[in-house]
Amino acid sequence: MLILLPPSEGKTAHAHGAPFDINALGFAQLSEDRQLVLESLAEISARPDAMELLGVGASLAQEVSRNISLHTEPAAQAHDVYSGVLFEALGYSSLDAAAQQRADDSVIVISALWGAVRFCDRIPPYRLSMSVKLEPLGKLASWWKKRLTPVLDEAAGDQLIIDARSSTYAAAYKPKNGNTVAVNVFQLRNGVPKVVSHFAKHTRGEVARFLLQQDTEPASPQELLDLVSTRWDASLVQDKKGTALNILLPEDHKFTTVNKSQVDTAA
């Protein structure tokens, strides 16, 4: 089982820690590609029009400035750097040791800067979206797609891939093994299923957490459905993009996050 996640826009900076080592990151085949993105990002982040080119507002000037010196910034494991709704719902720090090991083995975060990283990879916080056109490389989703596809297809083999990415990051890699399930989230509104937007990230994080807590990994879409259906109202559908797991939340569903100090004992 592999679980594909998008990065969070917000990232947690750490005051202490050694810088990242590009040669120590997972998927070492991407090292030269990562170096190219790092160099381009540093050059653009130093320009007067950096905010416009990176598509961010003035409030993020400090984060953009950090892009210039990422090689010297304190790094931490990816699960401690990525924050936001999805990662809070996944709650890595409150998983037991076995579930954390499954996360380290199974979770892959698709990144505009790194291409793909494992949860245990040490990275600094950065500011870069997959939707950015980063000269001279061009649109990052297209640039990464040709580089990620052979690497991640090899890593995936015939494993079940649970795709919990947003469309922006899904554009950078489309699995080819025919054993991939996207996760969609709906909620009843006046009796009618409606697409959940922002909080879809939350439910995808909960689904990832739930799967990581299981002793047995699903190996097929049907096994995934059987497992997830023990907790959610779920169904498998086929659409133009492939197979999707549709989760339907009740009208009174409350979105809650897992506290870092909380140990979830749910099966």
Side-chain angles (χ1 to χ4, degrees), residues 27-211:
F27 310 109
Q29 309 96 308
L30 300 173
S31 291
E32 291 184 6
D33 301 318
R34 290 164 172 156
Q35 188 60 44
L36 289 174
V37 181
L38 280 162
E39 292 171 358
S40 297
L41 179 60
E43 290 177 7
I44 284 182
S45 297
R47 289 174 48 166
D49 57 349
M51 311 298 289
E52 179 182 354
L53 293 171
L54 295 176
V56 298
S59 63
L60 298 176
Q62 183 176 356
E63 294 185 26
V64 170
S65 178
R66 187 189 292 129
N67 287 341
I68 301 171
S69 56
L70 291 178
H71 282 93
T72 61
E73 289 290 325
Q77 292 188 325
H79 61 75
D80 280 333
V81 172
Y82 293 121
S83 55
V85 174
L86 189 155
F87 294 91
E88 289 176 0
L90 190 152
Y92 179 95
S93 64
S94 63
L95 291 170
D96 64 28
Q100 288 184 349
Q101 185 61 57
R102 281 190 285 272
D104 292 345
D105 294 338
S106 301
V107 174
I108 298 175
V109 180
I110 304 302
S111 163
L113 177 56
W114 312 107
V117 292
R118 300 278 191 180
F119 253 15
C120 54
D121 285 339
R122 295 182 66 261
I123 59 174
Y126 60 94
R127 176 58 65 164
L128 181 64
S129 170
M130 191 67 81
S131 61
V132 168
K133 185 176 182 181
L134 191 67
E135 297 301 344
L137 307 180
K139 190 173 181 181
L140 286 170
S142 301
W143 191 85
W144 274 118
K145 187 173 184 179
K146 65 181 69 175
R147 292 160 175 82
L148 286 177
T149 297
V151 173
L152 295 185
D153 279 349
E154 180 181 3
D158 60 359
Q159 294 181 85
L160 175 67
I161 299 175
I162 297 102
D163 192 348
R165 296 173 295 168
S166 58
S167 58
T168 301
Y169 288 87
Y173 170 59
K174 183 177 181 180
K176 295 181 178 178
N177 72 356
N179 195 23
T180 300
V181 180
V183 180
N184 297 327
V185 184
F186 300 84
Q187 185 173 15
L188 287 174
R189 300 290 188 189
N190 297 320
V192 179
K194 298 291 185 180
V195 174
V196 175
S197 53
H198 175 67
F199 277 108
K201 299 177 183 178
H202 182 277
T203 301
R204 288 172 179 145
E206 288 187 319
V207 170
R209 180 181 178 86
F210 175 75
L211 294 174

